[in-house]
């Protein structure tokens, strides 16, 4: 009885901590959306005035080139802000038709600068043509988590060997997205724990252990599957599949094996 009470107490404490962390994540989402909204107005002004100044016939060619760069970068910054706003927005949206290529583009837009700074080579191998039945921001969250994990994994590699590959393809009544990296991968003893809440192999301060478990919940709620296996580059390969828009089995929860490490 003492052991049962101890286990119940530990489980209760774990659930309380999970609620606290989820509330913090929700608060961060609101904060991100607010900051994105505030930054959008000055960025629009910068973009608009730079475009207007380019039309001045008295502006030199060098100045026009500089203004063009300002306009391009402010436009790119605006796209990042829109993605942040969409990512941070807490919505209970109904699943709609979502193209994986748009999800990948938005994630890359958010991480491009970090990838360049860390000298990580990014490849896109997109073959999916069918739209997923999903919520854009939810798939964005899962894909972003995969990419950030891959970034952290390849940091220890020689700069020449830092590589991440994003793949998509059509499957029967589903679409699949994969993120593979050239890092060290996941040890065999940790594979079964990857999607458990609060499990992390990252140093203190670099991970909460919630990213993959939240991703698991998102994909499961969409009637999809999520998992891990070792990739051809020698590192980790995380994937998810979700039903295509219009599939008759869309919204059906996957079996208990969803989210477990894939072999091969």
């Amino acid at each position: 009885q003492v052991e049962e009470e101890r286990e119940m107490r530990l489980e209760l404490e774990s659930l309380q901590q999970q609620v606290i962390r989820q509330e913090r994540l929700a608060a961060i989402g609101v904060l991100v959306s607010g900051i994105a909204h505030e930054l959008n107005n000055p960025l629009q002004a910068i973009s608009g005035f730079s475009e207007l100044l380019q039309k001045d016939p008295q502006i030199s060619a060098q100045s026009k080139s500089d203004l063009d760069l300002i306009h391009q970068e402010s436009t790119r910054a605006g796209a990042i802000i829109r993605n942040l706003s969409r990512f941070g927005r807490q919505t209970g949206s109904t699943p709609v038709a979502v193209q994986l290529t748009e999800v990948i583009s938005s994630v890359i837009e958010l991480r491009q600068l970090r990838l360049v700074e860390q000298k990580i080579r990014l490849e896109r191998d997109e073959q999916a043509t069918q739209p997923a039945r999903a919520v854009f921001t939810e798939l964005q969250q899962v894909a972003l988590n995969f990419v950030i994990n891959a970034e952290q994994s390849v940091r220890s590699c020689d700069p020449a060997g830092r590589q991440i590959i994003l793949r998509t393809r059509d499957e029967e009544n589903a679409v699949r997205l994969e993120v593979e990296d050239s890092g060290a991968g996941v040890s065999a003893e940790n594979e079964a724990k990857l999607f458990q809440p609060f499990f992390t192999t990252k140093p203190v301060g670099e991970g909460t252990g919630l990213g993959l478990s939240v991703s698991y919940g998102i994909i499961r709620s969409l009637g999809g599957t999520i998992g891990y296996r070792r990739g051809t580059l020698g590192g980790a390969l995380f994937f998810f599949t979700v039903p295509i828009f219009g599939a008759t089995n869309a919204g059906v929860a996957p079996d208990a094996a969803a989210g477990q490490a894939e072999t091969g």
Side-chain angles (χ1 to χ4, degrees):
Q1 183 177 358
V2 172
E3 183 63 24
E4 289 179 358
E5 290 178 355
R6 176 178 173 277
E7 290 179 358
M8 290 177 61
R9 185 173 65 254
L10 291 174
E11 183 177 358
L12 178 60
E13 291 175 355
S14 176
L15 291 173
Q16 288 174 335
Q17 289 297 318
Q18 184 174 359
V19 169
I20 291 171
R21 294 190 183 190
Q22 287 175 338
E23 289 177 348
R24 287 176 180 172
L25 289 173
I28 290 171
V30 173
L31 178 63
V32 167
S33 293
I35 292 173
H37 177 74
E38 292 300 321
L39 287 176
N40 189 53
N41 291 334
L43 279 172
Q44 285 184 342
I46 293 169
S47 178
F49 277 106
S50 63
E51 189 175 15
L52 185 63
L53 285 170
Q54 283 179 284
K55 298 178 181 180
D56 189 339
Q58 298 180 355
I59 294 289
S60 67
Q62 180 60 50
S63 296
K64 282 187 178 181
S65 177
D66 293 340
L67 287 168
D68 182 57
L69 180 60
I70 291 172
H71 179 69
Q72 289 179 13
E73 291 303 303
S74 60
T75 300
R76 188 171 72 87
I80 294 173
I81 291 299
R82 286 192 297 275
N83 282 329
L84 281 173
S85 180
R86 186 159 51 178
F87 179 71
R89 194 178 301 126
Q90 301 296 314
T91 60
S93 302
T94 301
V96 296
V98 176
Q99 292 288 351
L100 291 185
T101 186
E102 296 178 5
V103 174
I104 288 177
S105 294
S106 71
V107 169
I108 292 176
E109 192 71 54
L110 290 170
R111 302 304 299 176
Q112 185 64 49
L113 182 60
R114 291 290 295 162
L115 292 169
V116 173
E117 288 177 345
Q118 298 176 93
K119 296 180 175 58
I120 298 174
R121 186 169 73 259
L122 179 70
E123 296 182 17
R124 298 174 68 163
D125 177 14
E126 299 180 62
Q127 300 180 34
T129 59
Q130 297 292 324
R133 181 184 183 276
V135 178
F136 183 93
T137 52
E138 292 182 347
L139 292 191
Q140 183 191 43
Q141 181 176 350
V142 177
L144 182 62
N145 181 262
F146 285 176
V147 171
I148 291 175
N149 284 346
E151 287 178 33
Q152 294 172 337
S153 179
V154 301
R155 283 178 189 167
S156 58
C157 299
D158 182 90
R162 295 174 184 173
Q163 184 178 7
I164 297 175
I165 303 177
L166 284 78
R167 301 188 186 91
T168 66
R169 70 170 183 262
D170 294 321
E171 295 189 342
E172 185 178 359
N173 293 325
V175 286
R176 180 183 179 105
L177 183 145
E178 298 179 350
V179 178
E180 181 180 359
D181 66 68
S182 59
V186 179
S187 61
E189 62 268 23
N190 289 330
E191 288 183 359
K193 307 173 188 176
L194 283 173
F195 298 93
Q196 295 178 5
F198 310 115
F199 174 78
T200 180
T201 59
K202 299 174 185 176
V204 176
E206 288 194 15
T208 62
L210 284 173
L212 289 176
S213 63
V214 170
S215 297
Y216 174 87
I218 288 172
I219 299 302
R220 185 178 179 84
S221 71
L222 295 171
T225 60
I226 184 171
Y228 159 87
R229 66 178 173 83
R230 187 166 289 275
T232 57
L233 298 177
L237 187 155
F238 285 93
F239 70 90
F240 68 74
T241 66
V242 287
I244 62 172
F245 188 75
T248 56
N249 63 339
V252 179
D255 59 34
Q260 298 301 313
E262 200 181 65
T263 58

